Amino acid sequence: MPHSKSLRVCSLTRTLSSYLPLAELQALLEQHRKEATIGDTLLVVQHASVFTIGKRGSAQDFHTDPEELRQIGYEVHNVPRGGETTFHGPGQLVAYPIVNLRQLGLGARAFVERLEDAMVQTAGCFGIQARGRVPGKTGVWVGERKLGAVGVRISNGISSHGVALNVTTDVSHYRHIVPCGTPDKEVTSIQKELQKGGMQFDDLGVGGSAAGISSPPTNSCKTQQDVPHLLAVAEEHLVRCLARVYGYTYVQNIETKTLLPTGAR
C-alpha cells in the first residue's frame, strides 16, 4: 500500500511562468522530497512560450534556428528530462509531480503509464476519445494527433518534470520543431477536438468529492469558446485524474509560500 495518501497541489496557472525559475523550484522540491521534509507535491503551471530539449533532443529537432526563436521572444532550454524537443506555452497545462515512487510502489514505466492514463481520463471528461500506452510512442493521442506529452526525470526514486496537456494551446507554435520526435504527426488540443466535433457542454464542473478525493469548487463551461473557463475546468479534471491513478485519497490545495519547509523559504 502507498505510504502517502495525501497529495499537495499548487496551481500556478493564473499567470505565465518563465521556465528557469520553475526548474529551480522543481529542483528544490525534489531535494526536500528526498529528505522527506515535504510530502508528495504536484505543481500545475502555464509557461511563457518556451521550447525545451530533453535528453534525446538535438538541434535537428528544430525547423527554425533556436537563436532566431530567442530573438522573436521564445525561450529555448536544454532540460534534464527524458524525451526529445517540445513546446510549452499559454493554454497548455503542465503538471510536475514531485513524488516518491518507492512509497507509491511504482517503477519508472508504471509511473509514466499512469501519467498517460490521467491525460486520457481528462480528455474523456470532455467526450474526447484519447489513448496512451501506444507501442513505440509516448504521450496521449487522438487518432494520429498528439494531445499530450510526457517527459520525466527520476532521481533516487523521486520524480520531477511530467506532462504537458494542450487545452487551448495555439498549436501553430509546433511548426518550429519536430515535436517529440514525431515529424509526420499533427499536434492537437482539447479545444480543437471540441470544435471538430461541434460539442457543447452545460456543465463540465468537477466539484464535490468522488472516490474520497477532495477537490476545488465546481466550475461549469457552457461552450468550447469559453477559453479561460475551459482551461480551468481541464485543470480540475487533470488534478483529480492524477490523484486517482496514483491512489491518493486527499488533495490538499496549497499556496506557493507553503511549498517549501519554513526554514527553506
Side-chain angles (χ1 to χ4, degrees):
M1 294 292 289
H3 180 269
S4 173
K5 282 296 196 179
S6 177
L7 178 67
R8 307 187 316 153
V9 177
C10 182
S11 174
L12 302 173
T13 57
R14 292 188 179 181
T15 58
L16 298 180
S17 299
S18 294
Y19 189 83
L20 289 182
L22 261 295
E24 293 171 0
L25 177 58
Q26 276 195 84
L28 281 172
L29 291 167
E30 180 184 341
Q31 185 59 40
H32 282 287
R33 190 66 191 97
K34 288 177 183 176
E35 296 169 356
T37 52
I38 62 171
D40 286 354
T41 301
L42 177 69
L43 295 178
V44 188
V45 309
Q46 267 195 102
H47 279 299
S49 295
V50 57
F51 294 102
T52 63
I53 308 164
K55 290 182 177 179
R56 290 189 286 128
S58 71
Q60 302 304 312
D61 294 334
F62 286 87
H63 297 308
T64 305
D65 184 84
E67 188 53 43
E68 182 181 338
L69 291 172
R70 291 186 179 99
Q71 290 175 3
I72 60 177
Y74 292 96
E75 296 180 52
V76 182
H77 299 295
N78 289 90
V79 297
R81 58 157 174 79
E84 291 93 357
T85 299
T86 195
F87 168 78
H88 300 311
Q92 183 190 74
L93 292 175
V94 180
Y96 295 131
I98 296 92
V99 303
N100 189 316
L101 270 63
R102 293 168 184 164
Q103 290 183 358
L104 290 173
L106 296 174
R109 181 174 178 177
F111 174 68
V112 169
E113 287 176 343
R114 283 164 174 75
L115 288 175
E116 293 180 350
D117 291 346
M119 288 194 288
V120 168
Q121 291 176 19
T122 300
C125 293
F126 294 93
I128 298 168
Q129 186 173 357
R131 59 198 174 103
R133 306 195 186 199
V134 178
K137 299 178 182 178
T138 60
V140 167
W141 301 79
V142 181
E144 293 299 309
R145 302 178 296 282
K146 192 162 190 176
L147 180 66
V150 178
V152 302
R153 163 186 158 91
I154 299 171
S155 174
N156 296 317
I158 306 299
S159 67
S160 59
H161 298 270
V163 302
L165 180 65
N166 291 326
V167 181
T168 61
T169 320
D170 178 358
V171 298
S172 68
H173 294 288
Y174 288 92
R175 72 187 185 278
H176 296 296
I177 61 170
V178 177
C180 301
T182 53
D184 57 340
K185 303 300 181 185
E186 181 184 348
V187 178
T188 191
S189 68
I190 288 175
Q191 184 182 29
K192 281 190 70 175
E193 294 303 316
L194 293 179
Q195 290 170 341
K196 282 181 181 179
M199 298 180 187
Q200 294 189 8
F201 294 86
D202 291 330
D203 188 359
L204 294 176
V206 291
S209 179
I213 301 171
S214 68
S215 62
T218 300
N219 286 324
S220 63
C221 181
K222 296 301 182 184
T223 71
Q224 63 267 37
Q225 282 74 34
D226 190 356
V227 171
H229 208 165
L230 179 58
L231 190 70
V233 172
E235 181 178 357
E236 288 192 29
H237 283 304
L238 181 60
V239 169
R240 284 173 61 85
C241 291
L242 283 166
R244 182 183 302 116
V245 297
Y246 292 116
Y248 294 104
T249 54
Y250 180 68
V251 172
Q252 178 188 9
N253 295 291
I254 63 173
E255 297 181 4
T256 310
K257 63 183 180 182
T258 60
L259 272 171
L260 297 170
T262 303
R265 296 172 199 164

